[in-house]
Amino acid sequence: MTTAAAPAPKYAVGSLVHARGREWVVLPDSTEDLLVLRPLGGADVDIAGVLPGLETVVPATFAPPTPGDLGDQHTAGLLRTALRIGFRAGAGPFRSLASIAVDPRPYQLVPLMMALRQDTVRLLIADDVGIGKTVEAGLIAAELLAQGDARGLVVLCSPALAEQWRAELRGKFGIDARLVLPATIGRLERDTPYGQSVFRPDGAYVVSTDFIKSPRHREDFLNNCPDLVIVDEAHTCVADSTAQVSARTSQQRYGLLRALADDATRHLLLVTATPHSGKEEPFRRLLGLLDARLATVGFESRAGRELLAQFFVQRRRADIREDFQDGAHFPSSRDTAEVSYALHRDYRALLADVLAYARETVRSADGALQQRQRWWSTLALLRTLSSSPAAAVRSLNTRAGVQEADTPDEVDRTGQVTVSDPADTDSTQSADEVPGSLLPTATSTTEETGSDGPEGLDTEEKARLVAMAEAARKLAGPTRDTKLKKLVAMVTDLLDSGYRPIVFCRYIATSDYVADHLKKVLNKKGTEHPVAVASVTGELSPDMRLNRIAELTGADENGEPAPERRVLVATDCLSEGVNLQESFDAVIHYDLAWNPTRHEQREGRVDRFGQRTDTVKALTLYGADNPVDDIVLKVLLRKHERIRRATGISVPVPQQAESAMQAVFEELILSGETPSFEQEGLFEREQLPAAEQLELAWESSAEREKASRSLYAQNRIKKEDVATEVAEIRAALGTGEEVTEFTRRALGALRGAPADRKQGGFTAHTDALPQGLRDAVTAALGPRHPRPVVFHDAPSAPRGEVALTRTDPVVAATARFVLDTALDEKFPAWQRPARRCGVIRTDAVRRPTTMLLVRHRFQLSLPTRDGEIRPQLAEDARVVAFQGRPEAPQWLPDEEALALLQARATGNSDPAFATDHIASILAALKTGLMDELRLRSKAAAAELEASHHRVRTAARARLAGLKAVPQGDPDVLGVFLYRPAATIQLGADA
């Protein structure tokens, strides 16, 4: 027979208990029947659940220091910093900042402030490429989860970016998300109990948008989707109702988002650097997902502007550059230039032949359908020939995709996707295949038209195309391909200047062709400095792309670092989402994009936060006598750049761009027998009304864009509103200088032998570290990480290296090890660089002065959006000091107490003398000293409550029920006595 257990005592969040032979802190989510506990000084991975009805749980107090556990002058600083770095339940108003591995800039907290103003968070974050939209969305997600306002999270993105999103969530925000992709769904379903969904409302997932929109998975996802959704590249999920490009795919994506947004309780974050493609309707549909009124409201009115400001935030690079004046890695400028080359005579002759062929075939077309088919096939041939001989050969041996179209409109839709770079295309992930240019003639048989190659053509046309393909094949190599020759010179100059370039190409065939020739030319026999070259294209799966980049930029299997002289050749499959700033700092546009936004996206891969090169390079290569390049430059790229320089704004391509480009290409193809690049005045306004209309529309858009900046939310919430709170949080958690000094000093004491680097920061050897810390470093950096380990004095670091920030995994592991060994005297002396006591002779004081390192714990009651009160744990570390005897202390101001951490020892103290004095101070802690510490704990609680009140007031969040209450007596972690330096040495401690 059994008896019921006695009712379990109730413990407040933040209180100390003893169970299972150790001390624990009570965490939120604890109940009368189940206590959620974290070991005192432990990490989140050590959290455990304890059943008070079955296990012995009693109140506990923090053990005081042992008087004889004495350290030197550096002990107090090491112990204090280790404690603060280890905080994961910070006391500040932004609950997530203590537990994330990123140090946000003040401007990145503005979207978070906007989110805190809303009961259900609905935001469109549209900051420029490279300034941290992922961090901003992650901050909101981490804060909503930390405060309990969201239970779970899902990120919808392209499959190519899924792994990067998962790594960002895990590495920076501590969110372990599951990948839901075609390649993973089978395993996930096998691991899920029968009859249950792969998705749970309290789970975290990174999901392929196109995969989950399919009918098979859509309803299950909608029924079990978490209450917080982030949509990456959200502009690809909406399309104009008259759109000709990817309309069906965009409509399916939009339907999925519309169904998610219809749940009024679901938080929705839309993320894109290009919210407006130049067409108003898709932009309005995007805004309508946030609030139905935004789809129709006029932004000219004050009411419309105020409504928009609640949901939309967009900052340009110029708006935030001043936030990076503190040494954080962000390029101060982008050095752009155009570089021209002249076609080889053989290349020019082939281009003339292609133009003549295009002119003849389009003019001789029979009916509108055949004319549009021939138009797009010849345009594809012109573009591929402008790209490379390899692309032209491929095009001349591939059937045109427009052949399958049944109407002129369908031909145009297919042609725009395969040949152009339209603004409203849904993705760049699979757009780098060479478009075919072969079309059957009217005399071809059905059987003949079903195969690739020129077999489906009449004899004369077949011979002509075969001759052009053979001529293109003979152009390969830097002798006749002067574009390639010029590229070799450009790459060599960049490498010699210390740059590491990415060469962007339009087609897979061109990328592979360029990479192959660069490998040969740059690594000729006898080359003093070999160059690593790799090609990454849409032919590779997303995982394979990342692996190939890692092979080029990461350490090899022996731990040797990547070569400094390296070149990445890629198609636009890498122009979006993939961050390359850690390994590259220059971009060459080998092929001109037919959309200026694509150039911005390419350059944004290196010109972004985390780039250590102060000035990045962006070079545009073009043929001075190539009419195709001439059209793209004059009609699109130069106008875009001129408007950007004049206004400081990258304005989307207007809707008229496609028609203007077609008009100019028609002028090129259908003009007289002389190729257009030999004619004068091709681009005069009176000859090109379509181009003139485009320029007027573009300038009008630029003026509207400038005016619209007053509508955006960052003008309503200033970053200065949160800068004070951010500074206080940073100070409470440890400044960058403190973290750097702590890490270097601790690793030095632990036999890591740190050594300065000319570039800043230092290196340290990990093989001699204590086993526990060595294992933690290996877990963070990988077993093949470079040795010695590089520690960067910056907020970010390349893979396999360490950023000297409090949330870097290696820094955090070092702090945890230092704190754990300080609290446990069983470790060998050399593994305990921090101690809990010390007596220091110094000329920094004139009277005996005692410093106490104190930890406060609070139960923080936060009002939630649904009107409830949610308890949270908050921790804070303070340094307090008094002069005189402990029985009659004279307390010092906080700034004087903190100054003691910098005091330098000028003499030794006798250990027996030091032990006796520390013992007397510890005895006084049980009486009057603790009374003072309790008062200070109450004062700290009041400060904490006021800080939360200020932020919530700025965010217009609920205040009723906000409360901070100290839990138990403060923990005294360290006791340090500073004695004046003796003027006459009478003894060890006279």
Side-chain angles (χ1 to χ4, degrees):
M1 179 177 178
T2 59
T3 58
K10 294 182 178 180
Y11 295 99
V13 171
S15 59
L16 287 182
V17 296
H18 182 90
R20 300 179 181 176
R22 65 189 305 183
E23 280 67 46
W24 306 76
V25 180
V26 179
L27 299 181
D29 298 326
S30 296
T31 66
E32 185 173 330
D33 300 320
L34 174 65
L35 292 178
V36 181
L37 306 176
R38 188 189 67 206
L40 193 61
D44 286 348
V45 295
D46 304 316
I47 292 174
V50 174
L51 300 171
L54 300 178
E55 302 183 61
T56 301
V57 180
V58 297
T61 56
F62 187 74
T66 302
D69 189 26
L70 301 172
D72 60 19
Q73 61 177 326
H74 305 300
T75 291
L78 283 173
L79 185 61
R80 174 177 179 260
T81 306
L83 175 65
R84 297 158 79 208
I85 290 174
F87 279 156
R88 291 297 178 267
F94 299 108
R95 301 291 298 146
S96 60
L97 291 192
S99 59
I100 61 176
V102 63
D103 189 10
R105 320 305 296 177
Y107 76 88
Q108 291 177 320
L109 291 169
V110 170
L112 175 57
M113 292 290 288
M114 295 174 62
L116 293 177
R117 287 185 170 187
Q118 302 176 356
D119 288 337
T120 300
V121 178
R122 297 286 175 99
L123 286 179
L124 173 52
I125 302 174
D127 288 343
D128 263 356
V129 172
I131 66 176
K133 294 183 296 298
T134 301
V135 169
E136 291 165 354
L139 282 172
I140 295 173
E143 190 68 19
L144 292 177
L145 293 169
Q147 293 194 9
D149 289 320
R151 295 177 59 203
L153 166 68
V154 64
V155 176
L156 295 175
C157 63
S158 80
L161 302 181
E163 183 56 51
Q164 179 171 309
W165 261 104
R166 183 171 71 163
E168 292 275 310
L169 290 175
R170 181 171 52 200
K172 292 183 178 178
F173 302 101
I175 299 172
D176 194 8
R178 305 173 79 184
L179 285 180
V180 183
L181 305 169
T184 65
I185 189 63
R187 175 178 52 81
L188 293 174
E189 290 177 336
R190 288 192 298 271
D191 294 342
T192 302
Y194 178 76
Q196 296 185 19
S197 172
V198 166
F199 299 99
R200 291 176 42 178
D202 59 351
Y205 308 91
V206 177
V207 182
S208 163
T209 309
D210 284 338
F211 171 72
I212 211 64
K213 69 177 173 55
S214 66
R216 179 184 172 193
H217 302 286
R218 185 178 186 272
E219 291 307 313
D220 175 50
F221 174 66
L222 291 175
N223 291 334
N224 297 280
C225 181
D227 54 0
L228 170 57
V229 176
I230 298 174
V231 183
D232 191 27
E233 303 297 344
H235 64 280
T236 67
C237 298
V238 293
D240 190 351
S241 60
T242 61
Q244 294 184 331
V245 181
S246 304
R248 182 171 180 269
T249 298
S250 294
Q251 290 297 342
Q252 288 178 331
R253 294 173 183 166
Y254 177 77
L256 176 68
L257 296 195
R258 183 70 269 170
L260 290 170
D262 285 343
D263 182 348
T265 65
R266 176 168 284 117
H267 307 296
L268 183 61
L269 302 176
L270 306 179
V271 180
T272 174
T274 52
H276 202 305
S277 66
K279 300 179 181 180
E280 186 70 9
E281 184 182 345
F283 178 58
R284 289 290 190 155
R285 298 182 79 193
L286 198 63
L287 291 175
L289 293 170
L290 307 176
D291 188 293
R293 295 170 293 175
L294 292 173
T296 57
V297 70
F299 296 146
E300 296 78 14
S301 68
R302 179 178 178 180
R305 291 194 297 271
E306 290 179 350
L307 180 65
L308 177 64
Q310 297 176 35
F311 300 95
F312 186 33
V313 58
Q314 185 176 41
R315 276 79 56 87
R316 305 299 185 183
R317 304 175 75 85
D319 299 330
I320 54 87
R321 197 172 293 279
E322 65 184 43
D323 275 37
F324 293 91
Q325 301 302 311
D326 58 355
H329 290 316
F330 193 81
S332 64
S333 63
R334 183 191 305 178
D335 185 5
T336 62
E338 293 180 355
V339 180
S340 66
Y341 65 93
L343 292 169
H344 187 276
R345 62 178 180 276
D346 294 345
Y347 217 125
R348 190 183 302 112
L350 177 58
L351 185 57
D353 289 344
V354 169
L355 278 169
Y357 169 76
R359 189 172 302 116
E360 293 171 18
T361 56
V362 173
R363 283 178 172 174
S364 63
D366 182 13
L369 175 61
Q370 189 179 74
Q371 185 180 56
R372 300 311 296 164
Q373 288 175 331
R374 293 186 175 186
W375 161 261
W376 284 110
S377 65
T378 55
L379 193 60
L381 181 55
L382 279 170
R383 187 169 191 189
T384 55
L385 182 58
S386 297
S387 176
S388 70
V393 171
R394 176 72 176 171
S395 181
L396 283 164
N397 284 279
T398 304
R399 187 175 57 190
V402 294
Q403 176 188 333
E404 306 298 331
D406 296 324
T407 66
D409 286 344
E410 189 178 346
V411 171
D412 286 341
R413 284 195 295 270
T414 303
Q416 287 173 16
V417 170
T418 58
V419 181
S420 290
D421 302 326
D424 54 357
T425 188
D426 60 350
S427 177
T428 59
Q429 301 303 326
S430 59
D432 51 4
E433 284 283 358
V434 171
S437 55
L438 292 183
L439 286 172
T441 62
T443 60
S444 303
T445 66
T446 303
E447 290 77 8
E448 288 174 327
T449 60
S451 61
D452 279 357
E455 287 76 11
L457 305 172
D458 61 38
T459 304
E460 181 180 351
E461 187 164 2
K462 175 181 175 180
R464 190 172 185 182
L465 291 175
V466 168
M468 287 194 290
E470 183 60 27
R473 192 174 287 108
K474 292 179 179 179
L475 295 175
T479 301
R480 292 183 175 86
D481 186 356
T482 52
K483 180 182 182 182
L484 179 63
K485 182 178 180 180
K486 176 62 73 171
L487 174 70
V488 172
M490 294 166 66
V491 169
T492 301
D493 288 344
L494 287 172
L495 291 172
D496 290 344
S497 300
Y499 282 90
R500 297 159 297 177
I502 306 173
V503 180
F504 275 107
C505 306
R506 179 61 175 82
Y507 301 115
I508 295 172
T510 300
S511 181
D512 292 342
Y513 163 81
V514 167
D516 288 344
H517 281 280
L518 285 179
K519 288 177 187 176
K520 295 175 184 176
V521 175
L522 298 177
N523 295 291
K524 291 180 179 179
K525 188 175 181 180
T527 301
E528 184 177 357
H529 302 292
V531 180
V533 182
S535 173
V536 176
T537 69
E539 198 170 43
L540 304 175
S541 70
D543 287 344
M544 293 173 66
R545 297 172 203 170
L546 296 178
N547 289 338
R548 184 162 295 183
I549 294 171
E551 291 171 359
L552 179 65
T553 63
D556 63 19
E557 59 183 13
N558 298 318
E560 294 296 324
E564 280 300 311
R565 292 172 67 86
R566 55 179 177 263
V567 181
L568 174 62
V569 187
T571 63
D572 286 312
C573 71
L574 292 186
S575 69
E576 288 184 321
V578 180
N579 300 331
L580 300 169
Q581 72 275 17
E582 294 176 354
S583 304
F584 302 94
D585 47 19
V587 164
I588 297 175
H589 302 287
Y590 188 74
D591 289 332
L592 304 182
W594 290 10
N595 182 351
T597 301
R598 191 67 54 80
H599 279 224
E600 285 285 327
Q601 291 168 337
R602 292 173 175 178
E603 294 167 12
R605 296 311 97 210
V606 301
D607 188 3
R608 61 193 304 114
F609 177 55
Q611 175 60 257
R612 293 185 298 280
T613 301
D614 187 57
T615 300
V616 297
K617 293 271 191 180
L619 305 178
T620 300
L621 182 61
Y622 73 97
D625 49 358
N626 183 333
V628 176
D629 284 357
D630 204 26
I631 289 171
V632 177
L633 274 173
K634 291 184 176 179
V635 176
L636 290 179
L637 299 181
R638 285 175 179 163
K639 290 178 181 176
H640 177 268
E641 180 65 12
R642 177 173 57 79
I643 291 174
R644 188 188 68 81
R645 289 180 181 276
T647 65
I649 299 171
S650 181
V651 180
V653 181
Q655 192 168 347
Q656 295 90 336
E658 189 66 35
S659 60
M661 288 285 287
Q662 290 217 26
V664 179
F665 277 121
E666 286 177 9
E667 169 72 13
L668 170 66
I669 293 175
L670 300 179
S671 62
E673 295 296 322
T674 304
S676 297
F677 56 80
E678 295 179 6
Q679 296 180 5
E680 296 295 330
L682 175 61
F683 297 98
E684 293 299 322
R685 285 192 172 188
E686 61 270 20
Q687 296 182 23
L688 295 176
E692 181 180 9
Q693 291 173 15
L694 170 61
E695 182 161 4
L696 292 175
W698 217 333
E699 290 175 349
S700 177
S701 295
E703 291 303 315
R704 288 198 304 271
E705 190 84 2
K706 285 184 66 176
S708 69
R709 297 178 74 179
S710 64
L711 309 177
Y712 299 156
Q714 70 270 19
N715 290 331
R716 296 176 57 83
I717 298 180
K718 303 293 186 181
K719 61 188 179 185
E720 292 79 10
D721 293 342
V722 296
T724 300
E725 308 299 336
V726 173
E728 290 181 2
I729 293 171
R730 284 177 173 168
L733 298 176
T735 65
E737 292 79 8
E738 289 173 322
V739 170
T740 298
E741 181 181 359
F742 163 82
T743 308
R744 185 187 179 94
R745 193 178 295 279
L747 292 176
L750 294 169
R751 302 178 180 175
D756 288 334
R757 299 173 69 239
K758 292 181 180 179
Q759 306 93 321
F762 59 88
T763 60
H765 296 268
T766 58
D767 293 338
L769 296 176
Q771 182 68 47
L773 181 55
R774 187 166 67 247
D775 291 345
V777 172
T778 299
L781 301 181
R784 295 178 178 175
H785 65 80
R787 292 170 172 80
V789 175
V790 177
F791 288 74
H792 292 274
D793 190 10
S796 62
R799 289 183 302 273
E801 300 179 2
V802 179
L804 286 165
T805 61
R806 62 176 297 276
T807 49
D808 183 277
V810 172
V811 174
T814 304
R816 189 182 310 157
F817 185 86
V818 169
L819 183 59
D820 288 346
T821 56
L823 297 176
D824 190 346
E825 298 180 29
K826 296 177 183 178
F827 280 84
W830 74 272
Q831 295 186 18
R832 303 183 67 224
R835 305 294 176 90
R836 298 182 65 186
C837 301
V839 176
I840 300 101
R841 285 281 193 180
T842 178
D843 55 12
V845 299
R846 296 189 176 184
R847 297 179 57 194
T849 303
T850 300
M851 183 184 72
L852 306 176
L853 176 57
V854 179
R855 174 173 56 196
H856 302 283
R857 291 187 309 280
F858 311 97
Q859 177 173 298
L860 181 62
S861 299
L862 296 178
T864 64
R865 287 174 166 82
D866 55 12
E868 296 182 357
I869 302 297
R870 182 173 294 108
Q872 299 276 5
L873 169 66
E875 296 176 307
D876 193 12
R878 300 289 179 99
V879 172
V880 297
F882 63 84
Q883 290 182 339
R885 296 182 297 108
E887 297 81 9
Q890 299 176 16
W891 294 95
L892 300 179
D894 290 345
E895 57 271 17
E896 292 185 27
L898 286 171
L900 292 172
L901 293 170
Q902 308 303 321
R904 299 181 62 85
T906 57
N908 298 321
S909 293
D910 177 72
F913 173 88
T915 299
D916 289 343
H917 275 67
I918 295 295
S920 66
I921 297 171
L922 291 174
L925 277 174
K926 301 176 182 178
T927 55
L929 291 182
M930 185 54 71
D931 291 338
E932 175 66 22
L933 295 182
R934 292 187 187 106
L935 291 175
R936 289 174 177 258
S937 191
K938 292 180 180 178
E943 293 174 11
L944 171 60
E945 192 173 311
S947 178
H948 278 266
H949 194 282
R950 287 193 298 271
V951 170
R952 285 179 166 262
T953 299
R956 301 174 187 170
R958 288 186 173 88
L959 296 172
L962 174 64
K963 191 73 175 174
V965 179
Q967 292 300 305
D969 288 341
D971 302 332
V972 178
L973 280 88
V975 178
F976 304 91
L977 175 61
Y978 296 83
R979 295 180 59 79
T983 54
I984 301 177
Q985 190 70 29
L986 299 177
D989 272 287

